[in-house]
Amino acid sequence: MNSEAKFDGRWLAAMAIFVGVWAAMGCGEPLQHNLDEGEANAMVVTLNQHGFDAEKIRDPRDGERWAVEVPTTDRVEAWSTLQREGFPRPETGGFGDFYPGGGLIPTAKEERVVLQYATARELQNSLLHVEGIIDAHVHLVLPEKPRVQMTGAEASEPRASVLVQWSERVGEPPLDEEAVRKLVSGAVEDLSPESVHVVLNSVAAPERVRHEVEYAQVGPIAVAPKSQGVLQGVILLMGAVIIAVSAGLAFVVVKNRREAPSGGMA
C-alpha cells in the first residue's frame, strides 16, 4: 500500500506539472484595459478580421469594465493594427459631465459656455459612432443673446467648424459634407447648415498583408514557433511520466506476486 501511495503521489505531481506547463503555453495578455463592452467588441471584431486570436474578458483591474486579450506573441502586431484602425476611440463626454445636478448656480455666461462645450462633445460622440470615422472634432460658437434687442441691431448667428478624419479602407467617406452640416445644424438652435464649415480628412490605410500565424510542426501538432521548445519539453515529460508509470506498475505487480505465496503459507 505504501508503494502504491508513493506511486500515486508522484503521478499526481507529474500531472500537475504537465497541466501547468500546458496552460502557460496558451496564455494570453490583456492588450487594452478599462473598456466599455461596445468598444471591446469592436476591437475584438477588428483584430479577428486581421487574423488575430483576440477575445473579450473582464478587466482584471476593474470587474465592471472589459479588456481585450491576445496571445503574448502577437501583442506588438495587434497593438499596431488597433492604432491603424483608430482604437482606442477618444473619450467623449456629454451634458451629464457638465451638469452635475447640484452646487452653485451658474451665471448666464457660464451656462452658455457649458452648453456650447457640452453640445460640441455630444456631436463629436455622435460622429465617432459612424463606422469608418476615426476621429472628429466639433467647435461651436454660440453668441450671447442680448436681453433687450435693440432696433436695427444685427444679431450674431451661431456658427460651427467640424473636422472629420475617416479611414480610406472603407472606400468612400462615411458622411459627406452635407450630411455633417445637417447633423450639426440640427443639434444647435438657430444654426443654419450654411454656417457650418466642414473639413473631411482621409487617413490612408498603409498596405499591409493580412496577419498570418506561422506554426511550427511538432509531430502531428502545429504550434507557434516560440512554443515549439515548450511543447517538445512537455512531450518528453509525458514520455518520462509514462515510462515511470509503467515501471511503477510493473514493480508493484512483480512485488505483489512475490509476496503472495509467503502470505498464503502464513
Side-chain angles (χ1 to χ4, degrees):
M1 292 297 294
N2 291 336
S3 299
E4 292 179 358
K6 291 180 180 179
F7 170 72
D8 290 341
R10 292 172 183 175
W11 165 251
L12 292 175
M15 288 302 297
I17 295 173
F18 167 72
V19 171
V21 174
W22 185 263
M25 291 174 56
C27 66
E29 184 175 355
L31 185 64
Q32 287 285 348
H33 290 273
N34 196 30
L35 303 171
D36 60 48
E37 189 170 9
E39 186 169 27
N41 288 335
M43 286 186 179
V44 169
V45 170
T46 299
L47 290 173
N48 288 341
Q49 289 174 343
H50 286 78
F52 293 96
D53 184 16
E55 63 177 337
K56 177 186 68 177
I57 61 172
R58 284 290 184 182
D59 193 339
R61 303 175 183 176
D62 183 356
E64 299 298 323
R65 305 285 285 177
W66 295 89
V68 173
E69 185 180 76
V70 296
T72 304
T73 54
D74 295 335
R75 181 178 175 82
V76 174
E77 291 185 47
W79 174 266
S80 299
T81 299
L82 289 180
Q83 291 291 301
R84 288 195 300 264
E85 297 294 338
F87 290 105
R89 300 295 191 194
E91 294 185 4
T92 60
F95 289 101
D97 294 339
F98 304 98
Y99 290 97
L104 299 177
I105 299 175
T107 64
K109 186 175 182 179
E110 290 173 339
E111 281 190 339
R112 179 176 59 83
V113 172
V114 169
L115 176 64
Q116 176 177 295
Y117 188 67
T119 303
R121 294 287 292 271
E122 287 280 359
L123 288 168
Q124 179 191 19
N125 190 38
S126 298
L127 290 169
L128 288 173
H129 276 81
V130 178
E131 184 178 1
I133 292 181
I134 296 176
D135 200 1
H137 296 276
V138 180
H139 304 278
L140 291 178
V141 177
L142 304 179
E144 185 176 2
K145 294 182 179 180
R147 295 183 179 180
V148 179
Q149 184 67 39
M150 302 298 293
T151 304
E154 185 177 351
S156 299
E157 295 184 353
R159 59 187 185 275
S161 59
V162 184
L163 171 64
V164 176
Q165 290 184 311
W166 60 281
S167 174
E168 286 187 353
R169 69 175 176 79
V170 299
E172 297 291 334
L175 296 175
D176 57 20
E177 292 186 11
E178 186 64 24
V180 175
R181 289 193 182 96
K182 288 182 178 180
L183 174 66
V184 176
S185 63
V188 182
E189 184 180 5
D190 298 329
L191 177 61
S192 64
E194 293 75 19
S195 298
V196 180
H197 180 65
V198 179
V199 175
L200 298 177
N201 181 36
S202 62
V203 178
E207 292 293 333
R208 59 185 184 277
V209 180
R210 180 182 172 87
H211 175 79
E212 297 290 346
V213 180
E214 296 182 359
Y215 294 100
Q217 202 72 24
V218 180
I221 304 174
V223 296
K226 292 185 178 180
S227 301
Q228 182 178 7
V230 178
L231 180 58
Q232 290 174 340
V234 170
I235 293 175
L236 290 176
L237 176 61
M238 291 176 63
V241 169
I242 292 172
I243 293 174
V245 169
S246 301
L249 287 174
F251 173 77
V252 171
V253 170
V254 171
K255 183 178 180 181
N256 288 340
R257 287 181 177 178
R258 288 179 177 178
E259 292 177 353
S262 58
M265 292 298 295

mmCIF file of all heavy atoms in Angstrom, residues 196-230:
data_model
loop_
_atom_site.group_PDB
_atom_site.id
_atom_site.type_symbol
_atom_site.label_atom_id
_atom_site.label_comp_id
_atom_site.label_asym_id
_atom_site.label_seq_id
_atom_site.Cartn_x
_atom_site.Cartn_y
_atom_site.Cartn_z
ATOM 1 N N VAL A 196 -22.041 76.134 -41.076
ATOM 2 C CA VAL A 196 -21.215 75.022 -40.601
ATOM 3 C C VAL A 196 -20.119 74.757 -41.630
ATOM 4 O O VAL A 196 -20.399 74.417 -42.783
ATOM 5 C CB VAL A 196 -22.058 73.750 -40.378
ATOM 6 C CG1 VAL A 196 -21.169 72.604 -39.885
ATOM 7 C CG2 VAL A 196 -23.183 74.014 -39.397
ATOM 8 N N HIS A 197 -18.871 74.923 -41.209
ATOM 9 C CA HIS A 197 -17.722 74.667 -42.097
ATOM 10 C C HIS A 197 -17.193 73.262 -41.808
ATOM 11 O O HIS A 197 -16.876 72.933 -40.661
ATOM 12 C CB HIS A 197 -16.629 75.703 -41.866
ATOM 13 C CG HIS A 197 -15.435 75.496 -42.743
ATOM 14 N ND1 HIS A 197 -15.483 75.623 -44.111
ATOM 15 C CD2 HIS A 197 -14.157 75.152 -42.440
ATOM 16 C CE1 HIS A 197 -14.287 75.381 -44.619
ATOM 17 N NE2 HIS A 197 -13.471 75.090 -43.616
ATOM 18 N N VAL A 198 -17.121 72.444 -42.841
ATOM 19 C CA VAL A 198 -16.737 71.041 -42.680
ATOM 20 C C VAL A 198 -15.441 70.761 -43.413
ATOM 21 O O VAL A 198 -15.262 71.176 -44.569
ATOM 22 C CB VAL A 198 -17.856 70.102 -43.204
ATOM 23 C CG1 VAL A 198 -17.432 68.643 -43.048
ATOM 24 C CG2 VAL A 198 -19.163 70.366 -42.480
ATOM 25 N N VAL A 199 -14.542 70.071 -42.734
ATOM 26 C CA VAL A 199 -13.292 69.603 -43.339
ATOM 27 C C VAL A 199 -13.249 68.090 -43.191
ATOM 28 O O VAL A 199 -13.285 67.569 -42.067
ATOM 29 C CB VAL A 199 -12.058 70.243 -42.679
ATOM 30 C CG1 VAL A 199 -10.783 69.642 -43.265
ATOM 31 C CG2 VAL A 199 -12.065 71.740 -42.853
ATOM 32 N N LEU A 200 -13.199 67.378 -44.321
ATOM 33 C CA LEU A 200 -13.073 65.922 -44.318
ATOM 34 C C LEU A 200 -11.632 65.555 -44.646
ATOM 35 O O LEU A 200 -11.112 65.941 -45.692
ATOM 36 C CB LEU A 200 -14.027 65.292 -45.335
ATOM 37 C CG LEU A 200 -15.526 65.521 -45.105
ATOM 38 C CD1 LEU A 200 -16.334 64.895 -46.244
ATOM 39 C CD2 LEU A 200 -15.968 64.941 -43.770
ATOM 40 N N ASN A 201 -11.009 64.832 -43.765
ATOM 41 C CA ASN A 201 -9.602 64.464 -43.935
ATOM 42 C C ASN A 201 -9.482 62.947 -43.961
ATOM 43 O O ASN A 201 -9.837 62.264 -42.997
ATOM 44 C CB ASN A 201 -8.761 65.038 -42.792
ATOM 45 C CG ASN A 201 -7.289 64.689 -42.946
ATOM 46 O OD1 ASN A 201 -6.762 64.646 -44.049
ATOM 47 N ND2 ASN A 201 -6.635 64.430 -41.827
ATOM 48 N N SER A 202 -9.010 62.429 -45.099
ATOM 49 C CA SER A 202 -8.865 60.975 -45.221
ATOM 50 C C SER A 202 -7.529 60.522 -44.654
ATOM 51 O O SER A 202 -6.512 61.206 -44.803
ATOM 52 C CB SER A 202 -8.972 60.555 -46.690
ATOM 53 O OG SER A 202 -7.928 61.131 -47.446
ATOM 54 N N VAL A 203 -7.548 59.390 -43.998
ATOM 55 C CA VAL A 203 -6.331 58.786 -43.445
ATOM 56 C C VAL A 203 -6.047 57.539 -44.252
ATOM 57 O O VAL A 203 -6.834 56.581 -44.232
ATOM 58 C CB VAL A 203 -6.516 58.449 -41.951
ATOM 59 C CG1 VAL A 203 -5.264 57.773 -41.404
ATOM 60 C CG2 VAL A 203 -6.853 59.693 -41.163
ATOM 61 N N ALA A 204 -4.946 57.563 -44.980
ATOM 62 C CA ALA A 204 -4.610 56.445 -45.854
ATOM 63 C C ALA A 204 -4.272 55.214 -45.036
ATOM 64 O O ALA A 204 -3.502 55.272 -44.073
ATOM 65 C CB ALA A 204 -3.443 56.814 -46.762
ATOM 66 N N ALA A 205 -4.854 54.121 -45.397
ATOM 67 C CA ALA A 205 -4.538 52.839 -44.751
ATOM 68 C C ALA A 205 -3.300 52.264 -45.419
ATOM 69 O O ALA A 205 -3.295 52.033 -46.627
ATOM 70 C CB ALA A 205 -5.707 51.868 -44.876
ATOM 71 N N PRO A 206 -2.199 52.062 -44.686
ATOM 72 C CA PRO A 206 -0.984 51.525 -45.296
ATOM 73 C C PRO A 206 -1.191 50.127 -45.840
ATOM 74 O O PRO A 206 -1.996 49.352 -45.319
ATOM 75 C CB PRO A 206 0.024 51.526 -44.130
ATOM 76 C CG PRO A 206 -0.825 51.465 -42.903
ATOM 77 C CD PRO A 206 -2.083 52.210 -43.232
ATOM 78 N N GLU A 207 -0.476 49.845 -46.915
ATOM 79 C CA GLU A 207 -0.548 48.497 -47.482
ATOM 80 C C GLU A 207 0.001 47.504 -46.475
ATOM 81 O O GLU A 207 1.101 47.646 -45.958
ATOM 82 C CB GLU A 207 0.283 48.426 -48.773
ATOM 83 C CG GLU A 207 -0.291 49.247 -49.911
ATOM 84 C CD GLU A 207 -1.607 48.695 -50.412
ATOM 85 O OE1 GLU A 207 -1.823 47.466 -50.274
ATOM 86 O OE2 GLU A 207 -2.424 49.476 -50.927
ATOM 87 N N ARG A 208 -0.777 46.526 -46.196
ATOM 88 C CA ARG A 208 -0.321 45.536 -45.217
ATOM 89 C C ARG A 208 -0.882 44.167 -45.574
ATOM 90 O O ARG A 208 -2.005 44.056 -46.076
ATOM 91 C CB ARG A 208 -0.755 45.914 -43.804
ATOM 92 C CG ARG A 208 -2.254 46.050 -43.634
ATOM 93 C CD ARG A 208 -2.577 46.546 -42.225
ATOM 94 N NE ARG A 208 -4.000 46.603 -41.973
ATOM 95 C CZ ARG A 208 -4.777 47.594 -42.331
ATOM 96 N NH1 ARG A 208 -4.264 48.636 -42.962
ATOM 97 N NH2 ARG A 208 -6.075 47.572 -42.058
ATOM 98 N N VAL A 209 -0.115 43.184 -45.300
ATOM 99 C CA VAL A 209 -0.536 41.816 -45.552
ATOM 100 C C VAL A 209 -1.317 41.332 -44.345
ATOM 101 O O VAL A 209 -0.972 41.610 -43.201
ATOM 102 C CB VAL A 209 0.693 40.914 -45.807
ATOM 103 C CG1 VAL A 209 0.257 39.479 -46.062
ATOM 104 C CG2 VAL A 209 1.497 41.448 -46.980
ATOM 105 N N ARG A 210 -2.389 40.646 -44.617
ATOM 106 C CA ARG A 210 -3.195 40.088 -43.528
ATOM 107 C C ARG A 210 -2.314 39.241 -42.621
ATOM 108 O O ARG A 210 -1.514 38.433 -43.087
ATOM 109 C CB ARG A 210 -4.325 39.238 -44.102
ATOM 110 C CG ARG A 210 -5.214 38.610 -43.030
ATOM 111 C CD ARG A 210 -6.266 37.764 -43.688
ATOM 112 N NE ARG A 210 -7.021 37.011 -42.709
ATOM 113 C CZ ARG A 210 -8.093 37.461 -42.080
ATOM 114 N NH1 ARG A 210 -8.527 38.678 -42.344
ATOM 115 N NH2 ARG A 210 -8.751 36.715 -41.223
ATOM 116 N N HIS A 211 -2.465 39.470 -41.328
ATOM 117 C CA HIS A 211 -1.651 38.753 -40.353
ATOM 118 C C HIS A 211 -1.920 37.256 -40.438
ATOM 119 O O HIS A 211 -3.041 36.804 -40.260
ATOM 120 C CB HIS A 211 -1.971 39.258 -38.944
ATOM 121 C CG HIS A 211 -1.269 38.495 -37.872
ATOM 122 N ND1 HIS A 211 0.050 38.720 -37.551
ATOM 123 C CD2 HIS A 211 -1.698 37.510 -37.038
ATOM 124 C CE1 HIS A 211 0.402 37.912 -36.575
ATOM 125 N NE2 HIS A 211 -0.644 37.172 -36.241
ATOM 126 N N GLU A 212 -0.887 36.521 -40.738
ATOM 127 C CA GLU A 212 -0.995 35.071 -40.785
ATOM 128 C C GLU A 212 -0.101 34.479 -39.708
ATOM 129 O O GLU A 212 1.070 34.830 -39.595
ATOM 130 C CB GLU A 212 -0.562 34.531 -42.161
ATOM 131 C CG GLU A 212 -1.431 35.012 -43.317
ATOM 132 C CD GLU A 212 -2.820 34.400 -43.294
ATOM 133 O OE1 GLU A 212 -3.004 33.408 -42.551
ATOM 134 O OE2 GLU A 212 -3.694 34.909 -43.999
ATOM 135 N N VAL A 213 -0.659 33.618 -38.919
ATOM 136 C CA VAL A 213 0.110 32.989 -37.853
ATOM 137 C C VAL A 213 0.957 31.863 -38.433
ATOM 138 O O VAL A 213 0.441 30.985 -39.122
ATOM 139 C CB VAL A 213 -0.828 32.437 -36.760
ATOM 140 C CG1 VAL A 213 -0.017 31.794 -35.648
ATOM 141 C CG2 VAL A 213 -1.708 33.549 -36.221
ATOM 142 N N GLU A 214 2.251 31.917 -38.186
ATOM 143 C CA GLU A 214 3.160 30.874 -38.637
ATOM 144 C C GLU A 214 3.302 29.819 -37.544
ATOM 145 O O GLU A 214 3.522 30.148 -36.382
ATOM 146 C CB GLU A 214 4.522 31.479 -38.974
ATOM 147 C CG GLU A 214 4.482 32.462 -40.143
ATOM 148 C CD GLU A 214 5.859 32.988 -40.460
ATOM 149 O OE1 GLU A 214 6.819 32.593 -39.754
ATOM 150 O OE2 GLU A 214 5.979 33.786 -41.401
ATOM 151 N N TYR A 215 3.165 28.582 -37.948
ATOM 152 C CA TYR A 215 3.214 27.499 -36.977
ATOM 153 C C TYR A 215 4.440 26.619 -37.226
ATOM 154 O O TYR A 215 4.894 26.459 -38.353
ATOM 155 C CB TYR A 215 1.946 26.640 -37.055
ATOM 156 C CG TYR A 215 0.691 27.376 -36.633
ATOM 157 C CD1 TYR A 215 -0.179 27.896 -37.582
ATOM 158 C CD2 TYR A 215 0.392 27.545 -35.289
ATOM 159 C CE1 TYR A 215 -1.328 28.572 -37.199
ATOM 160 C CE2 TYR A 215 -0.760 28.211 -34.888
ATOM 161 C CZ TYR A 215 -1.608 28.719 -35.844
ATOM 162 O OH TYR A 215 -2.734 29.389 -35.465
ATOM 163 N N ALA A 216 4.920 26.054 -36.136
ATOM 164 C CA ALA A 216 5.994 25.064 -36.207
ATOM 165 C C ALA A 216 5.364 23.701 -35.963
ATOM 166 O O ALA A 216 4.457 23.558 -35.136
ATOM 167 C CB ALA A 216 7.072 25.360 -35.168
ATOM 168 N N GLN A 217 5.832 22.706 -36.681
ATOM 169 C CA GLN A 217 5.247 21.373 -36.586
ATOM 170 C C GLN A 217 6.040 20.528 -35.603
ATOM 171 O O GLN A 217 7.268 20.384 -35.713
ATOM 172 C CB GLN A 217 5.240 20.704 -37.968
ATOM 173 C CG GLN A 217 4.217 19.597 -38.102
ATOM 174 C CD GLN A 217 2.789 20.125 -38.161
ATOM 175 O OE1 GLN A 217 2.572 21.271 -38.542
ATOM 176 N NE2 GLN A 217 1.830 19.294 -37.807
ATOM 177 N N VAL A 218 5.342 20.010 -34.632
ATOM 178 C CA VAL A 218 5.940 19.070 -33.679
ATOM 179 C C VAL A 218 5.131 17.789 -33.778
ATOM 180 O O VAL A 218 4.074 17.638 -33.150
ATOM 181 C CB VAL A 218 5.923 19.621 -32.240
ATOM 182 C CG1 VAL A 218 6.561 18.616 -31.286
ATOM 183 C CG2 VAL A 218 6.642 20.954 -32.175
ATOM 184 N N GLY A 219 5.583 16.873 -34.615
ATOM 185 C CA GLY A 219 4.809 15.674 -34.887
ATOM 186 C C GLY A 219 3.499 16.068 -35.568
ATOM 187 O O GLY A 219 3.487 16.850 -36.509
ATOM 188 N N PRO A 220 2.382 15.572 -35.083
ATOM 189 C CA PRO A 220 1.087 15.931 -35.696
ATOM 190 C C PRO A 220 0.515 17.245 -35.166
ATOM 191 O O PRO A 220 -0.570 17.655 -35.569
ATOM 192 C CB PRO A 220 0.195 14.765 -35.282
ATOM 193 C CG PRO A 220 0.749 14.332 -33.969
ATOM 194 C CD PRO A 220 2.243 14.549 -34.042
ATOM 195 N N ILE A 221 1.239 17.933 -34.266
ATOM 196 C CA ILE A 221 0.722 19.135 -33.619
ATOM 197 C C ILE A 221 1.416 20.367 -34.190
ATOM 198 O O ILE A 221 2.639 20.393 -34.337
ATOM 199 C CB ILE A 221 0.922 19.073 -32.091
ATOM 200 C CG1 ILE A 221 0.268 17.808 -31.524
ATOM 201 C CG2 ILE A 221 0.355 20.309 -31.417
ATOM 202 C CD1 ILE A 221 0.548 17.596 -30.052
ATOM 203 N N ALA A 222 0.624 21.416 -34.517
ATOM 204 C CA ALA A 222 1.157 22.684 -35.007
ATOM 205 C C ALA A 222 1.052 23.711 -33.889
ATOM 206 O O ALA A 222 -0.023 23.909 -33.314
ATOM 207 C CB ALA A 222 0.392 23.157 -36.234
ATOM 208 N N VAL A 223 2.160 24.363 -33.576
ATOM 209 C CA VAL A 223 2.182 25.361 -32.505
ATOM 210 C C VAL A 223 2.943 26.584 -32.993
ATOM 211 O O VAL A 223 3.622 26.551 -34.024
ATOM 212 C CB VAL A 223 2.857 24.805 -31.226
ATOM 213 C CG1 VAL A 223 2.074 23.653 -30.657
ATOM 214 C CG2 VAL A 223 4.298 24.387 -31.514
ATOM 215 N N ALA A 224 2.840 27.680 -32.231
ATOM 216 C CA ALA A 224 3.615 28.877 -32.533
ATOM 217 C C ALA A 224 5.096 28.570 -32.367
ATOM 218 O O ALA A 224 5.479 27.761 -31.506
ATOM 219 C CB ALA A 224 3.195 30.017 -31.605
ATOM 220 N N PRO A 225 5.956 29.196 -33.182
ATOM 221 C CA PRO A 225 7.388 28.874 -33.109
ATOM 222 C C PRO A 225 7.981 29.024 -31.716
ATOM 223 O O PRO A 225 8.806 28.226 -31.297
ATOM 224 C CB PRO A 225 8.007 29.884 -34.089
ATOM 225 C CG PRO A 225 6.919 30.189 -35.064
ATOM 226 C CD PRO A 225 5.647 30.149 -34.263
ATOM 227 N N LYS A 226 7.534 30.066 -30.969
ATOM 228 C CA LYS A 226 8.100 30.274 -29.643
ATOM 229 C C LYS A 226 7.654 29.202 -28.651
ATOM 230 O O LYS A 226 8.250 29.056 -27.588
ATOM 231 C CB LYS A 226 7.705 31.657 -29.127
ATOM 232 C CG LYS A 226 8.353 32.801 -29.903
ATOM 233 C CD LYS A 226 8.023 34.145 -29.288
ATOM 234 C CE LYS A 226 8.712 35.268 -30.041
ATOM 235 N NZ LYS A 226 8.409 36.593 -29.448
ATOM 236 N N SER A 227 6.603 28.469 -28.993
ATOM 237 C CA SER A 227 6.112 27.420 -28.099
ATOM 238 C C SER A 227 6.635 26.043 -28.481
ATOM 239 O O SER A 227 6.324 25.061 -27.806
ATOM 240 C CB SER A 227 4.574 27.395 -28.113
ATOM 241 O OG SER A 227 4.056 28.637 -27.706
ATOM 242 N N GLN A 228 7.423 25.989 -29.562
ATOM 243 C CA GLN A 228 7.894 24.692 -30.034
ATOM 244 C C GLN A 228 8.738 23.987 -28.983
ATOM 245 O O GLN A 228 8.542 22.816 -28.686
ATOM 246 C CB GLN A 228 8.697 24.858 -31.327
ATOM 247 C CG GLN A 228 9.186 23.547 -31.924
ATOM 248 C CD GLN A 228 9.936 23.754 -33.223
ATOM 249 O OE1 GLN A 228 10.212 24.891 -33.624
ATOM 250 N NE2 GLN A 228 10.272 22.673 -33.899
ATOM 251 N N GLY A 229 9.683 24.726 -28.391
ATOM 252 C CA GLY A 229 10.547 24.121 -27.382
ATOM 253 C C GLY A 229 9.774 23.677 -26.155
ATOM 254 O O GLY A 229 10.041 22.617 -25.571
ATOM 255 N N VAL A 230 8.776 24.497 -25.761
ATOM 256 C CA VAL A 230 7.963 24.133 -24.595
ATOM 257 C C VAL A 230 7.190 22.853 -24.862
ATOM 258 O O VAL A 230 7.121 21.955 -24.014
ATOM 259 C CB VAL A 230 6.996 25.286 -24.247
ATOM 260 C CG1 VAL A 230 6.105 24.891 -23.072
ATOM 261 C CG2 VAL A 230 7.780 26.556 -23.916
#
